[in-house]
Amino acid sequence: MTDFRPGGEPNAAGGGHHEGARELWVVRLGTMPYGEALELQRTLAAERIVGTIPEDLLLLLEHPPVVTLGRSAKKSHLIASPDYLRSRGVEVFEVERGGDVTFHGPGQLVGYPIFDLRRHRADLHWYLRQVEQSLIDALADYEIPAERNTGFTGVWTRGRKIASIGVHVRDWVTWHGFALNVTTDLSYFDLIVPCGIDGVMMTSVELEVGDSASPTVADCGYRVANSFGKVFCLEPVEVSLGTLTAGIT
């Protein structure tokens, strides 16, 4: 399996590259407005459905402050008023993903896996558990004891929630995904009832590792790409957005 290391080039590890291995195309997008990323996901998912894009994708990025409401979101879980949200520069989107309300913003690693589950297992519950496992394994690199919380989707550590997950599937192709708090300003979560869970405490990689490390979104991205590759038995390969879109236009 290929391991990514800061610097942008994959390094062979664990036996090196295997000829014929299915690939995971990792696309790093930097900071992108939510609306732009949403339309990009929908476009890429459509191309994945028809097979124009031959491999699974993992988009990694950050968003400016935004609150998103999934299909099961309750309006009462958006605590802040529209005026207050505007005063803090927070956009609001209603989207097709599952789940309730969540926040995305600077210092948070957002990942959008665009996977064809027919190449893995056509089982949404299995897929969600695999996404959780990928994040749990990545957090283990920071010696953070991450785990599932029975009855909820997402990843917790020491009783606090560190990652949220919400997905959409059409023709067994996924989009939307996960949000891992790295150096996120957690005060933004006071604007909502995160994921509709009353009393939930949010945390971040930065808070959990304390002074022992200085985590960055970029470093977390490399670790998450590695763990997704291992959990889904894919070979991670970095692909630029320009190269990807050039192949479908």
Side-chain angles (χ1 to χ4, degrees):
M1 194 63 67
T2 295
D3 273 346
F4 283 109
R5 292 292 178 258
E9 293 297 328
N11 296 316
H17 179 78
H18 300 284
E19 288 299 325
R22 291 187 300 183
E23 294 180 343
L24 172 62
W25 290 357
V26 181
V27 186
R28 301 182 188 279
L29 299 173
T31 299
M32 179 179 286
Y34 186 83
E36 183 179 341
L38 181 60
E39 289 307 311
L40 176 62
Q41 288 182 76
R42 290 169 175 167
T43 297
L44 296 177
E47 298 295 338
R48 188 76 181 102
I49 287 169
V50 299
T52 308
I53 295 175
E55 302 288 353
D56 292 329
L57 306 175
L58 178 60
L59 311 183
L60 296 175
L61 64 158
E62 292 179 72
H63 289 307
V66 61
V67 167
T68 71
L69 295 91
R71 294 192 308 272
S72 61
K74 296 181 179 179
K75 297 292 186 182
S76 60
H77 291 162
L78 181 54
I79 298 171
S81 69
D83 286 344
Y84 185 73
L85 290 170
R86 280 192 293 270
S87 75
R88 292 198 63 176
V90 180
E91 292 188 285
V92 178
F93 283 82
E94 294 186 29
V95 294
E96 66 269 46
R97 67 163 173 79
D100 205 290
V101 59
T102 196
F103 167 79
H104 300 313
Q108 186 184 69
L109 176 67
V110 176
Y112 296 131
I114 301 176
F115 279 28
D116 186 346
L117 295 184
R118 293 168 297 186
R119 300 182 70 187
H120 301 277
R121 183 184 298 180
D123 183 332
L124 181 57
H125 295 288
W126 172 86
Y127 171 69
L128 290 170
R129 303 294 82 78
Q130 298 300 96
V131 173
E132 289 169 343
Q133 191 62 52
S134 298
L135 297 174
I136 289 169
D137 291 350
L139 289 166
D141 285 353
Y142 293 101
E143 299 185 355
I144 295 174
E147 61 190 11
R148 297 177 178 87
N149 188 342
T150 303
F152 299 102
T153 298
V155 177
W156 274 256
T157 179
R158 303 181 180 100
R160 298 179 289 272
K161 192 171 188 183
I162 195 167
S164 302
I165 299 170
V167 304
H168 182 71
V169 177
R170 181 162 64 86
D171 295 335
W172 292 113
V173 169
T174 69
W175 65 99
H176 295 284
F178 66 85
L180 173 63
N181 298 325
V182 183
T183 59
T184 317
D185 179 354
L186 299 179
S187 70
Y188 280 106
F189 287 98
D190 295 338
L191 306 174
I192 63 175
V193 178
C195 302
I197 305 171
D198 289 325
V200 67
M201 292 183 63
M202 304 300 293
T203 190
S204 66
V205 175
E206 181 180 47
L207 284 178
E208 295 301 322
V209 299
D211 296 331
S212 63
S214 299
T216 65
V217 172
D219 182 63
C220 281
Y222 285 107
R223 296 172 191 270
V224 168
N226 285 337
S227 59
F228 261 82
K230 291 172 183 175
V231 167
F232 285 94
C233 299
L234 299 171
E235 189 80 14
V237 175
E238 291 209 27
V239 177
S240 71
L241 180 59
T243 299
L244 180 62
T245 55
I248 61 176
T249 55

